[in-house]
């Protein structure tokens, strides 16, 4: 490439270390332009490209706040995902952004992961298919998508330093699968590596992930960038296929690259290749013409997705939809203050917002409101409870708005438990004793325990519905349209039902002992009762399935069947196809989703639906590659993983698979549900190190929360106070919408800090906390005063 030849070594090294919180370096005199970026994934958050990326959400340019990942995934609607991607792409063009940081497609391994709301599903097919459509949509505008976080970022605590230990089969069949599907189907322009390590190597320098899988096996042709601050050894990362460090803005890593070439440990051609990919990314995403986006149309699209993503979990005696003729008592801080997006880097400034009150007013709903509990508190408030209980006596039907607030669910930390905040639970329990009809509307990013499920009449799960959340909720409650979403994750009865529940994030080594038995793959195989199964969701109408035919074709199998709307409401049904291979020589889940199809049906209408399953997607990862096992497969079609109405067997040609030691280990595991660390070490062929909390001397990788020496404590307090200060300042903001958003930002920073390492903090700080200062503080914290002060003044400049 001509441009590369004109660049000096220093320029090339500088190009591979970001230059602004949301952009790469430009060298105009050499014709190299900057690549501009924006979060992601459910809309754009564009702050001043030169400013701190998370400091001032309210000043971010307004953009459409689409429903978050988990809500989009429960639509199971590929067309809507594509449209949402396309709308985000249009807004990127509107604002001059080359690359959108999304979609986020990690597997929802455990319901407590604070970031589940951004992710799509516990199932790799749903995550992969929805993710691929988002990418296709975004890129249809010429803008690039950056799929994140590659890979195994299924917990927030320890995300900066932790190591996800996963066996090769689970890695390939479950955790990498969404990335593989997306890469093969939609050719994303970029991939973002996760902060954490996978099997002993940080994702940003993980050869297996980046070179073996992404580039060589799946044919990825784009650029690989770090998550913000997710770099450890800049030169080793480059050698293992990582192109761009973000946000960069540090001289230290530029020098690392420069010196490595100079001393011969890094080939200049390797550097050139990455620079070429960066220049190529700009070429492929250059905005030819800025066009105005139609934000009103995007609001309508956000509404459509929120409507289709909501899941009706319970509807006893068809209490829903409610009639507009009656008057209702509405209870809940979450009615007063709508929860519609998650906290952390995805937090954005919505262009248009319609909250519950606006929507009730617009649609002429006759209601009375009592707060009952404060949305942003956790403990019961006796006065509010009494007032709500008194008022409730006057009404026949109560609508209770509840869910998870930002104190319990956000990027940056994991939930402590699977419960609703105790103020909500306490009030709900008392309300259920009054013998009234109760509708519970839930706002959440991940499954919750619903011990009250049998005592209320209806439960509508809106998840995090985006800027049109108020209108969507009202339309569904009052029957302007029927719910048609289905859960893309299992709702266990109790958190303890989740595999290895009590071991989750107990230390930085996260042992994926359950292997491929994630979500319904686990519950179905061991036949354990759940609250709401994967793929489940009710409607205001009902459907009848019939006439399944399964045809063998050249590349796969085609299932054809009929679905009829046998109720009196127009509605959509998501038909799901699962396979079972009971005579397999390897251990397998009882059910695996292999396809789905959403159809719209008027009352009494019947349609023929089809689902195609390629032979490729029937393969299992056996020993070292995906293989198609020959023999009989049972094909089941129905409305959830539990409600499978049509079944047919089909015989498929393939190969015989060899049983391994791991098959024996997991056959036994499914019986005992136990696995020792030693057995798991055999599964992954890796000796798991012991983690010592508060071990000294501290290193750049020690979590800030563990700093306990004299200077260490001062530093820890200072760092953790940044978020608290931001939060306190935010509390004084007059505008309630801005106040809530800024508070969320403060909570996120405060909670994320103790898990951060000094290394990750310096590299994510956009130059505010330079490397020399980080090294100096580390020395001080280890009691080396003079060395510390000396390091603080060290300069990392390249001498040419
Ligand atoms: C998040 C990424 C995000 C980046 C930039 C990180 O903390 O993990 O998902 O894209 O920040 O805001």
């Amino acid at each position: 490439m001509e441009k590369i030849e004109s660049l000096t070594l220093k320029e090339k090294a500088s190009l591979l270390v970001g230059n602004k919180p949301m952009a790469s370096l430009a060298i105009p005199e050499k014709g190299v332009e900057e690549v501009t970026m924006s979060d992601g994934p459910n809309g754009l958050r564009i702050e001043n490209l030169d400013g701190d990326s998370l400091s001032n959400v309210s000043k971010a340019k307004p953009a459409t706040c689409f429903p978050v990942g988990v809500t989009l995934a429960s639509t199971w609607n590929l067309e809507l995902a594509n449209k949402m991607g396309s709308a985000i792409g249009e807004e990127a063009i509107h604002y001059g952004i080359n690359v959108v940081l999304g979609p986020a497609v990690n597997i929802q391994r455990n319901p407590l992961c604070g970031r589940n709301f951004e992710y799509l599903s516990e199932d790799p097919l749903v995550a992969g298919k929805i993710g691929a459509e988002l990418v296709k949509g975004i890129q249809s505008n010429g803008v690039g998508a950056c799929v994140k976080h590659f890979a195994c970022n299924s917990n927030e605590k320890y995300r900066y330093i932790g190591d996800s230990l996963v066996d090769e089969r689970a890695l390939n069949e479950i955790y990498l699968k969404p990335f593989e599907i997306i890469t093969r189907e939609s050719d994303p322009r970029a991939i973002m590596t996760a902060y954490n390590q996978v099997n002993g190597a940080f994702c940003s320098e993980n050869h297996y992930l980046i070179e073996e899988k992404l580039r060589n096996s799946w044919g990825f042709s784009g650029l690989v960038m770090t998550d913000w601050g997710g770099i450890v050894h800049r030169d080793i990362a480059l050698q293992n296929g990582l192109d761009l460090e973000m946000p960069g803005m540090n001289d230290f890593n530029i020098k690392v690259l420069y010196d490595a070439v100079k001393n011969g440990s890094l080939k200049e051609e390797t550097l050139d290749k990455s620079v070429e990919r960066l220049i190529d990314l700009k070429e492929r995403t250059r905005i030819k013409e800025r066009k105005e986006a139609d934000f009103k149309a995007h609001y309508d699209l956000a509404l459509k997705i929120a409507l289709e993503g909501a899941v009706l979990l319970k509807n006893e005696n068809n209490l829903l939809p409610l009639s507009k003729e009656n008057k209702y008592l509405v209870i809940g801080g979450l009615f007063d203050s709508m929860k519609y997006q998650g906290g952390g880097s995805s937090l954005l400034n919505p262009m248009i917002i319609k909250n519950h009150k606006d929507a009730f007013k617009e649609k002429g709903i006759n209601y009375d409101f009592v707060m009952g509990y404060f949305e942003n508190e956790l403990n019961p408030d006796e006065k509010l409870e009494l007032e709500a209980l008194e008022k409730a006596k006057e009404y026949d039907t109560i609508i209770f708005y509840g869910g998870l607030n930002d104190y319990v669910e956000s990027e940056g930390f994991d939930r402590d438990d699977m419960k609703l905040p105790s103020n909500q639970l306490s009030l709900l329990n008392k309300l259920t004793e009054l013998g009234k009809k109760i509708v519970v509307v839930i706002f959440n990013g991940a499954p919750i325990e619903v011990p009250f499920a049998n005592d209320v009449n209806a439960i509508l799960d809106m998840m995090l519905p985006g800027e049109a959340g108020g209108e969507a909720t009202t339309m569904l409650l009052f029957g302007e349209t029927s719910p048609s979403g289905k859960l893309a994750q299992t709702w266990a009865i109790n958190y303890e039902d989740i595999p290895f529940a009590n071991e989750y994030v107990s230390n930085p080594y996260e042992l994926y002992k359950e292997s491929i038995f994630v979500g319904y793959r686990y519950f179905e195989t061991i036949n354990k009762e759940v609250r709401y199964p994967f793929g489940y969701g009710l409607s205001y109408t009902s459907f009848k399935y019939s006439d399944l035919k399964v045809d063998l074709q050249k590349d796969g199998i085609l299932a054809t069947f009929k679905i009829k709307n046998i109720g009196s409401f127009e509605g959509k049904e998501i038909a799901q196809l699962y396979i079972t291979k009971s005579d397999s020589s390897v251990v397998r889940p009882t059910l695996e989703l292999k396809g789905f199809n959403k159809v719209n049906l008027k009352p009494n209408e019947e349609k023929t639906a089809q689902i195609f399953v390629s032979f490729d997607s029937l393969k299992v990862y056996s020993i070292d590659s995906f293989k198609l096992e020959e023999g009989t497969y049972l094909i089941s079609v129905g409305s959830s993983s539990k409600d499978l109405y049509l079944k047919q067997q089909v015989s498929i040609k393939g190969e015989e698979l060899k049983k391994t030691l791991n098959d024996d280990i997991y056959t036994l595991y499914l019986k005992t549900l136990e696995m020792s660390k030693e057995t798991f070490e055999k599964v992954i062929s890796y000796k798991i190190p012991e983690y010592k909390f508060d071990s000294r001397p501290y290193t750049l990788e020690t979590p800030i929360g563990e700093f306990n020496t004299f200077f260490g404590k001062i530093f820890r307090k200072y760092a953790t106070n940044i978020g608290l200060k931001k939060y306190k300042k935010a509390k004084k903001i007059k505008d309630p919408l801005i106040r809530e958003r800024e508070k969320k930002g403060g909570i996120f920073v405060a909670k994320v800090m103790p898990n951060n390492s000094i290394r990750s903090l310096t590299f994510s700080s956009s130059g505010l906390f330079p490397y020399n200062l980080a090294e100096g503080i580390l020395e001080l914290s280890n009691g080396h005063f003079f060395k510390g002060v000396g390091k603080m003044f060290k300069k990392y400049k390249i001498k040419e």
Side-chain angles (χ1 to χ4, degrees):
M1 218 186 222
E2 219 177 279
K3 258 184 210 161
I4 296 188
E5 280 159 23
S6 73
L7 295 169
T8 65
L9 176 59
K10 186 177 164 188
E11 284 170 336
K12 288 190 278 193
S14 308
L15 279 170
L16 299 180
V17 177
N19 184 50
K20 290 177 184 173
M22 286 284 162
S24 65
L25 177 70
I27 310 181
E29 61 281 16
K30 301 274 173 84
V32 181
E33 298 159 74
E34 67 177 4
V35 176
T36 55
M37 307 170 201
S38 164
D39 272 310
N42 55 294
L44 302 181
R45 194 195 69 250
I46 304 163
E47 298 175 37
N48 179 0
L49 283 177
D50 299 321
D52 164 9
S53 61
L54 256 186
S55 63
N56 251 321
V57 183
S58 323
K59 293 197 185 120
K61 307 218 161 78
T64 304
C65 181
F66 285 97
V68 303
V70 69
T71 320
L72 173 68
S74 16
T75 68
W76 300 57
N77 187 328
L78 300 181
E79 199 186 319
L80 276 185
N82 189 299
K83 284 191 176 151
M84 172 168 148
S86 175
I88 292 175
E90 277 169 35
E91 294 187 19
I93 302 255
H94 177 104
Y95 285 124
I97 296 296
N98 299 119
V99 175
V100 176
L101 304 175
V105 302
N106 296 73
I107 291 293
Q108 295 165 340
R109 172 177 172 244
N110 182 300
L112 301 191
C113 172
R115 215 168 179 180
N116 276 343
F117 72 88
E118 267 187 76
Y119 298 151
L120 300 164
S121 177
E122 70 186 20
D123 180 81
L125 184 78
V126 176
K129 289 286 178 187
I130 298 273
E133 289 309 316
L134 278 166
V135 172
K136 284 186 214 164
I138 293 172
Q139 297 193 162
S140 65
N141 296 278
V143 169
C146 178
V147 186
K148 60 193 188 183
H149 310 88
F150 188 56
C152 298
N153 179 189
S154 296
N155 52 281
E156 288 296 280
K157 192 169 183 186
Y158 303 123
R159 69 174 181 173
Y160 298 104
I161 57 162
D163 194 353
S164 300
L165 298 168
V166 199
D167 69 275
E168 202 173 327
R169 178 169 174 198
L171 192 56
N172 281 278
E173 272 183 31
I174 307 287
Y175 294 96
L176 300 187
K177 204 57 179 180
F179 294 96
E180 180 181 352
I181 295 174
I182 294 169
T183 306
R184 291 189 193 277
E185 290 190 6
S186 64
D187 189 20
R189 300 285 171 264
I191 296 272
M192 183 191 292
T193 51
Y195 284 120
N196 51 280
Q197 311 176 53
V198 170
N199 294 338
F202 276 97
C203 291
S204 58
E205 51 195 55
N206 196 310
H207 191 265
Y208 180 79
L209 292 182
I210 306 176
E211 287 295 351
E212 281 183 47
K213 289 291 149 184
L214 182 65
R215 291 202 206 278
N216 295 340
S217 176
W218 312 336
F220 175 70
S221 66
L223 173 128
V224 181
M225 67 174 84
T226 63
D227 197 342
W228 267 230
I231 186 81
V232 190
H233 311 98
R234 188 60 192 91
D235 48 345
I236 297 176
L238 192 84
Q239 267 157 349
N240 288 304
L242 185 284
D243 303 306
L244 177 66
E245 170 197 342
M246 284 303 291
M249 304 176 77
N250 68 77
D251 292 333
F252 180 76
N253 278 334
I254 299 177
K255 187 163 156 43
V256 169
L257 289 179
Y258 181 91
D259 289 350
V261 174
K262 282 286 177 197
N263 69 28
S265 62
L266 180 70
K267 286 198 194 122
E268 193 160 351
E269 298 91 81
T270 314
L271 204 79
D272 289 353
K273 229 190 238 167
S274 287
V275 173
E276 204 176 305
R277 290 195 192 112
L278 180 66
I279 293 175
D280 191 47
L281 177 64
K282 181 71 191 188
E283 293 299 326
R284 293 169 88 185
T285 60
R286 180 175 291 106
I287 295 168
K288 292 172 195 86
E289 194 194 337
R290 293 275 286 270
K291 272 193 230 132
E292 296 275 308
D294 185 346
F295 291 97
K296 172 68 186 72
H298 294 177
Y299 172 89
D300 293 340
L301 177 62
L303 173 63
K304 228 176 169 175
I305 300 169
L307 286 170
E308 280 208 21
V311 182
L312 182 60
L313 296 172
K314 177 171 184 180
N315 197 15
E316 199 174 72
N317 300 328
N318 293 332
L319 176 60
L320 294 180
L322 299 170
S323 154
K324 282 189 187 169
E325 305 301 312
N326 302 336
K327 189 173 176 186
Y328 301 93
L329 177 65
V330 173
I331 303 181
L334 280 162
F335 178 83
D336 189 53
S337 164
M338 181 169 82
K339 169 101 172 143
Y340 60 99
Q341 62 173 334
S345 59
S346 65
L347 188 63
L348 62 87
N349 186 10
M351 176 60 92
I352 303 169
I353 182 134
K354 208 175 274 179
N355 60 35
H356 303 302
K357 285 187 212 154
D358 299 336
F360 266 43
K361 193 166 167 205
E362 201 176 279
K363 299 196 180 288
I365 308 300
N366 197 359
Y367 75 106
D368 204 350
F369 170 74
V370 278
M371 193 69 81
Y373 68 88
F374 287 123
E375 177 266 332
N376 55 9
E377 280 177 16
L378 302 174
N379 295 323
D381 181 312
E382 215 177 308
K383 216 174 116 218
L384 292 185
E385 276 194 358
L386 276 178
E387 183 196 19
L389 292 165
E390 273 312 300
K391 252 283 172 296
K393 290 183 187 148
E394 298 166 22
Y395 287 85
D396 176 55
T397 307
I398 296 157
I399 318 176
F400 182 92
Y401 283 64
L404 301 177
N405 61 30
D406 299 309
Y407 300 85
V408 295
E409 179 180 60
S410 161
E411 179 190 336
F413 59 93
D414 299 308
R415 285 155 70 198
D416 292 333
D417 54 42
M418 217 174 112
K419 300 181 193 316
L420 278 181
S422 48
N423 52 357
Q424 298 184 32
L425 267 183
S426 154
L427 178 56
L428 246 180
N429 284 340
K430 288 174 188 154
L431 282 169
T432 54
E433 281 161 19
L434 299 180
K436 305 283 177 176
K437 286 187 206 123
I438 302 179
V439 177
V440 178
V441 189
I442 305 175
F443 298 84
N444 59 332
I448 52 175
E449 286 169 12
V450 281
F452 48 83
N454 294 333
D455 306 322
V456 299
N457 307 76
I459 306 177
L460 176 66
D461 183 16
M462 293 302 299
M463 301 182 205
L464 299 178
E467 65 180 30
E471 188 165 358
T473 312
T474 315
M475 283 176 75
L476 289 167
L477 284 176
F478 293 91
E480 284 183 45
T481 179
S482 169
S484 65
K486 303 227 182 194
L487 296 176
Q489 53 291 118
T490 310
W491 283 40
I493 298 176
N494 296 305
Y495 174 65
E496 287 66 34
D497 298 341
I498 305 293
F500 304 105
N502 298 330
E503 293 183 27
Y504 183 62
V505 294
S506 50
N507 76 55
Y509 296 106
E510 188 60 30
L511 313 186
Y512 287 44
K513 286 182 180 175
E514 72 285 359
S515 184
I516 52 172
F517 297 98
V518 180
Y520 71 91
R521 284 171 165 77
Y522 172 77
F523 290 104
E524 287 300 327
T525 309
I526 66 159
N527 220 344
K528 191 168 180 68
E529 203 192 331
V530 298
R531 180 72 71 180
Y532 302 116
F534 175 79
Y536 167 85
L538 302 172
S539 159
Y540 293 156
T541 186
S542 23
F543 303 96
K544 190 170 166 281
Y545 285 67
S546 66
D547 298 337
L548 173 66
K549 261 200 249 94
V550 181
D551 296 318
L552 267 185
Q553 301 199 329
K554 201 169 122 266
D555 306 320
I557 51 175
L558 181 67
T560 309
F561 50 96
K562 288 188 182 144
I563 310 179
K564 187 172 183 186
N565 182 344
I566 52 169
S568 51
F569 228 95
E570 178 169 354
K572 289 184 176 158
E573 168 67 339
I574 301 160
Q576 300 153 46
L577 184 152
Y578 296 82
I579 62 150
T580 307
K581 180 141 187 34
S582 11
D583 62 351
S584 178
S585 15
V586 296
V587 62
R588 286 180 184 246
T590 303
L591 283 182
E592 283 176 277
L593 180 80
K594 292 295 167 189
F596 53 90
N597 189 350
K598 191 164 190 173
V599 279
N600 187 66
L601 293 162
K602 297 214 166 65
N604 268 323
E605 192 183 1
E606 183 169 58
K607 275 186 187 161
T608 299
Q610 292 194 315
I611 296 175
F612 177 76
V613 181
S614 70
F615 289 136
D616 262 346
S617 62
L618 287 180
K619 291 179 177 171
V620 288
Y621 194 86
S622 165
I623 304 175
D624 58 358
S625 59
F626 278 100
K627 298 183 180 95
L628 180 62
E629 186 175 24
E630 67 178 11
T632 311
Y633 289 73
L634 177 70
I635 309 295
S636 309
V637 173
S639 61
S640 86
S641 58
K642 272 266 178 283
D643 306 290
L644 295 167
Y645 315 112
L646 310 174
K647 298 194 179 188
Q648 194 179 315
Q649 285 195 339
V650 56
S651 184
I652 289 173
K653 284 207 188 81
E655 57 187 301
E656 243 179 69
L657 299 187
K658 281 200 192 73
K659 196 166 113 178
T660 64
L661 175 67
N662 283 359
D663 291 306
D664 291 333
I665 292 178
Y666 279 98
T667 307
L668 185 64
Y669 160 70
L670 292 171
K671 288 193 188 120
T672 60
L673 301 183
E674 278 170 15
M675 182 161 310
S676 67
K677 188 176 162 196
E678 291 67 35
T679 310
F680 189 58
E681 284 178 338
K682 277 193 209 138
V683 170
I684 57 175
S685 315
Y686 183 78
K687 176 101 190 92
I688 302 161
E690 277 304 320
Y691 183 78
K692 280 210 196 93
F693 287 93
D694 193 18
S695 75
R696 299 178 202 174
Y698 302 131
T699 69
L700 285 171
E701 298 304 325
T702 307
I704 291 167
E706 289 181 27
F707 276 68
N708 241 339
T709 54
F710 178 72
F711 278 112
K713 265 191 207 150
I714 298 179
F715 167 63
R716 170 164 53 94
K717 283 207 174 131
Y718 178 81
T720 40
N721 259 331
I722 299 173
L724 294 177
K725 271 196 194 146
K726 192 173 154 54
Y727 175 75
K728 278 189 194 143
K729 205 169 138 201
K731 271 172 99 174
K732 294 188 189 131
I733 297 173
K734 289 230 166 64
D735 182 319
L737 266 180
I738 300 181
R739 185 174 60 235
E740 285 316 307
R741 267 200 310 272
E742 290 299 311
K743 271 165 62 186
K744 275 180 204 238
I747 299 171
F748 166 64
V749 177
K751 291 230 189 188
V752 84
M753 204 53 93
N755 292 319
N756 217 332
S757 66
I758 299 198
R759 186 258 311 155
S760 156
L761 189 63
T762 172
F763 292 144
S764 64
S765 72
S766 305
L768 294 175
F769 180 50
Y771 192 77
N772 53 324
L773 199 58
E775 276 195 311
I777 287 178
L778 181 65
E779 292 294 351
L780 285 182
S781 304
N782 280 325
H784 308 139
F785 183 77
F786 294 107
K787 216 167 158 190
V789 174
K791 287 231 163 147
M792 282 186 183
F793 289 99
K794 197 163 173 192
K795 290 263 175 296
Y796 289 100
K797 285 273 176 222
I798 293 169
K799 290 187 202 91
E800 280 182 300

